[in-house]
Structures are given as structure tokens and as C-alpha cells.
């Protein structure tokens, strides 16, 4: 009897120990998008027959079901370059279908009429993060928790992103110095976050410069330069990622942790291919747009007929 009891105690201790080790060894995922540029779907032209938000929505839903320790972020330029209000409102509705944890406003948003932008962000019902932008409704950071790990999301835009706009537009966008803004916010959150993720909107070269000047940044999710980075590399310990343009891709960052510390960070981009399923809710928005404007995606219709 004593031996049986001892065996049970040992077995129980092994189970508890293994559970603790498993809890310490985990993977987190960051799904990221940028420069969607109002593409509910794309032209399906022969040289890039890729999908956009209509594919992204299903992809994200399936991914998060498989990997609950995931977050979803966007680094800006969500809406059309020419500020087409009707299509922008449909895009805002489509983004509401996706479980975005945080977005950063890009230059295409900040050069909109402020009231129109307020309406769109309210429609999306998502946290708008920017650490160096002074604007109503924008927060400097957001802390998320996944699998017991606290992830701080910051956002930043360098003045370079609005360099070629008129002086009148530039003066309406209040940006503080990005490096100092990031450092100050990271210091404030130093005891509250395990991982620091920076959303940025100014291009890959400036992302590299920021990574070189700031210690402790784990990930930079970039945009503006519309770079499709298939195999991201680290600069000063910071993994810099970006997922192209027009909704062709979605970026996936995998963070491996052991004992509460990051041991590996990798990234890739997945293509929204034609064969992937469409979200019927987004397709309803696209059909609504086609009926209202008469702009029919005939390339996609041809591909669907060929598929049948």
C-alpha cells in the first residue's frame, strides 16, 4: 500500500512538473497587414491573380481557431488612396468582421477629412494606437495578454510619410519626435509588458534606423513602402516585418518562448490565393459596391467560369 501511494505521489509530481514546463514553453503569433489601399478584392490581373480582404477574413478566422495565442494588427493605409467615401465605408464594415486588436493610421487616413476619419474608425470599432500622434480617440499603446504573456502594442509615424503633402495638410497632423516618443512609452510600460511590438508607417529604411537606435523592441510591423518581406531579418534584436500591398498577403510572425523569455522570432508572408474561400459577408459588400457603381470585376468572373 505504501509503495502504491508513493508511486501515485511521484506520478502526480511528474504531471505537475511537465505541466509547468509546457506552460513555460509556448508559441505566440502576430498576424499583420498593411497598405490594403481599399482593396475589398483585387483586379485578379494575370500577373497577380491574388485576393484581398474577402480571403483574409477566412484565413484569419481559421488561423486563430488553430492558434488561439494570436493577435491581429494593421499598420495603416487601410482605405483608398483617393478617399472614395463609399468604398471606404464598405472597407470599414469589412474590417469590423476581422478581430483586429489594434490598428495604426497611415498617411492615407490622416489626410482625410477629420470628421470622415472619425466616422470610419468608429464604424470599425477597433483600438487606434499611435505613440507620437496627437489626435482625439488615439491611444499611445495597448497591452494584450495571450497565454499569460503581456504584449505591448505601440505605433509611430515619421514625418517622412507626409513629406510630399501640401503644407496645409502637414500642419494639421501633429507628430512628436518618434524615437523619444517610443523610448518614453517603453519606459512607462517596462514593468507591465513582456514583449514590445511597434506598428510603424514610414517605410522599411526608417524601420531599420529605429531598430538600431532603440534597444528592447522585439518586433516592428511596418508599412508605407509596401515591401513584401518573405524572410525578415533582425536588426539590433528587432525582427522587422511587412506584408506588401493591396491585401495580396498577410504576415505571420511566430514567437517561441521558454521560461518566459523569447528564444526565437521568425516571420513569413502568406499569399491570398484565388483558390482560398471567400467570406460571404465581404462578398455581399462587394456585390453591393458593383451594383451601386457598375464597376464589375470581370477578370474574377472569367476565373470563376474557368474553374467551373
Amino acid at each position: 500500500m505504501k509503495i502504491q501511494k508513493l508511486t501515485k505521489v511521484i506520478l502526480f509530481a511528474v504531471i505537475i512538473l511537465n505541466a509547468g514546463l509546457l506552460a513555460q514553453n509556448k508559441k505566440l503569433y502576430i498576424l499583420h497587414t498593411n497598405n490594403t489601399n481599399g482593396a475589398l478584392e483585387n483586379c485578379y490581373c494575370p500577373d497577380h491573380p491574388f485576393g484581398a480582404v474577402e480571403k483574409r477574413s477566412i484565413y484569419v478566422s481559421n488561423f486563430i481557431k488553430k492558434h488561439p495565442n494570436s493577435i491581429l494588427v494593421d499598420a495603416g493605409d487601410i482605405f483608398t488612396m483617393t478617399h472614395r467615401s463609399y468604398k471606404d465605408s464598405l472597407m470599414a464594415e469589412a474590417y469590423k468582421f476581422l478581430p483586429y486588436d489594434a490598428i495604426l493610421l497611415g498617411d492615407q487616413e490622416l489626410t482625410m477629412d477629420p470628421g470622415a476619419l472619425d466616422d470610419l474608425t468608429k464604424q470599425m470599432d477597433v483600438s487606434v494606437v499611435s505613440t507620437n500622434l496627437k489626435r482625439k480617440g488615439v491611444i499611445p499603446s495597448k497591452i494584450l495578454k495571450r497565454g499569460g504573456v503581456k504584449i505591448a502594442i505601440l505605433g509611430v509615424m515619421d514625418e517622412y510619410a507626409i513629406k510630399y503633402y501640401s503644407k496645409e495638410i502637414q500642419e494639421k497632423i501633429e507628430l512628436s519626435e518618434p524615437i523619444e516618443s517610443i523610448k518614453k512609452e517603453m519606459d512607462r510600460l517596462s514593468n507591465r509588458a513582456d514583449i514590445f511590438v511597434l506598428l510603424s508607417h514610414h517605410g522599411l529604411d526608417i524601420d531599420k534606423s529605429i531598430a538600431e537606435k532603440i534597444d528592447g523592441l522585439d518586433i516592428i510591423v511596418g508599412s508605407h513602402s509596401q515591401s513584401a518581406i518573405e524572410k525578415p531579418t533582425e536588426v539590433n534584436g528587432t525582427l522587422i516585418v511587412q506584408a506588401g500591398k493591396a491585401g495580396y498577403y498577410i504576415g505571420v510572425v511566430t514567437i517561441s518562448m521558454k521560461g518566459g523569455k523569447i528564444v526565437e522570432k521568425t516571420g513569413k508572408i502568406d499569399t491570398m490565393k484565388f483558390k482560398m474561400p471567400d467570406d460571404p459577408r465581404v462578398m455581399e459588400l462587394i456585390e453591393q459596391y458593383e451594383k451601386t457603381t457598375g464597376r464589375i470585376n470581370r477578370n474574377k468572373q472569367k476565373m470563376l467560369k474557368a474553374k467551373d
Side-chain angles (χ1 to χ4, degrees):
M1 286 294 291
K2 288 183 179 181
I3 293 174
Q4 287 180 341
K5 286 182 180 180
L6 182 60
T7 302
K8 288 180 180 180
V9 169
I10 293 171
L11 181 61
F12 180 74
V14 169
I15 292 171
I16 294 298
L17 179 61
N18 286 337
L21 290 172
L22 288 172
Q24 290 178 342
N25 301 334
K26 64 185 67 177
K27 288 188 176 181
L28 306 176
Y29 301 90
I30 300 172
L31 301 178
H32 59 94
T33 55
N34 60 274
N35 293 93
T36 302
N37 299 333
L40 286 167
E41 65 176 2
N42 282 301
C43 70
Y44 285 91
C45 303
D47 58 334
H48 47 266
F50 307 140
V53 176
E54 86 282 25
K55 308 288 187 184
R56 179 191 299 173
S57 180
I58 299 296
Y59 176 98
V60 167
S61 177
N62 290 339
F63 189 97
I64 293 176
K65 284 178 184 176
K66 187 176 180 180
H67 307 290
N69 286 344
S70 300
I71 66 171
L72 176 64
V73 295
D74 190 286
D77 281 359
I78 295 165
F79 302 111
T80 57
M81 297 181 187
T82 51
H83 301 168
R84 291 154 60 185
S85 59
Y86 177 51
K87 194 171 187 183
D88 289 341
S89 68
L90 295 177
M91 180 58 73
E93 192 64 25
Y95 260 57
K96 192 175 180 179
F97 298 148
L98 286 135
Y100 277 99
D101 293 290
I103 65 167
L104 175 71
L105 300 176
D107 58 288
Q108 287 167 207
E109 283 77 55
L110 294 177
T111 53
M112 283 181 172
D113 172 79
L117 179 56
D118 288 342
D119 289 342
L120 290 170
T121 53
K122 184 178 180 180
Q123 186 178 351
M124 286 191 287
D125 190 27
V126 64
S127 297
V128 181
V129 173
S130 184
T131 311
N132 75 322
L133 171 68
K134 186 178 179 181
R135 191 179 193 281
K136 181 186 70 175
V138 174
I139 55 177
S141 62
K142 181 177 181 179
I143 294 181
L144 305 167
K145 187 178 282 189
R146 294 291 186 275
V149 179
K150 291 170 285 188
I151 307 159
I153 310 294
L154 286 71
V156 72
M157 175 189 283
D158 189 272
E159 288 184 348
Y160 171 79
I162 55 173
K163 179 179 179 180
Y164 298 104
Y165 288 99
S166 68
K167 186 176 180 181
E168 181 184 4
I169 289 176
Q170 290 183 42
E171 288 176 347
K172 291 180 180 178
I173 301 171
E174 297 185 56
L175 296 171
S176 58
E177 203 284 319
I179 300 293
E180 291 306 313
S181 299
I182 296 165
K183 287 181 176 179
K184 184 178 178 180
E185 189 67 7
M186 287 180 67
D187 286 343
R188 189 179 74 85
L189 300 176
S190 60
N191 295 322
R192 297 170 54 193
D194 304 306
I195 296 174
F196 284 95
V197 177
L198 176 69
L199 310 182
S200 75
H201 196 97
H202 40 232
L204 182 58
D205 288 343
I206 297 177
D207 284 340
K208 291 178 180 178
S209 177
I210 287 175
E212 288 170 352
K213 295 173 183 176
I214 299 178
D215 296 330
L217 269 178
D218 297 298
I219 314 286
I220 294 180
V221 176
S223 60
H224 193 65
S225 57
Q226 305 189 134
S227 309
I229 305 176
E230 296 185 10
K231 294 181 180 179
T233 56
E234 293 187 30
V235 175
N236 188 26
T238 303
L239 188 73
I240 301 174
V241 300
Q242 197 177 148
K245 64 177 183 178
Y248 296 159
Y249 312 102
I250 186 165
V252 182
V253 173
T254 303
I255 302 173
S256 299
M257 303 192 69
K258 186 173 183 179
K261 302 292 183 181
I262 296 174
V263 293
E264 185 181 33
K265 295 173 286 191
T266 60
K268 65 175 183 174
I269 52 175
D270 279 347
T271 306
M272 300 296 98
K273 296 177 181 177
F274 176 73
K275 65 181 180 181
M276 295 169 68
D278 296 326
D279 186 328
R281 300 170 300 175
V282 179
M283 293 310 298
E284 284 184 15
L285 297 177
I286 292 168
E287 289 168 11
Q288 180 183 330
Y289 176 75
E290 290 182 337
K291 287 177 182 177
T292 303
T293 65
R295 296 174 179 173
I296 310 299
N297 194 337
R298 303 194 185 282
N299 283 329
K300 189 172 184 180
Q301 289 183 343
K302 288 178 184 178
M303 291 179 73
L304 287 169
K305 287 180 181 178
K307 185 180 178 183
D308 295 337

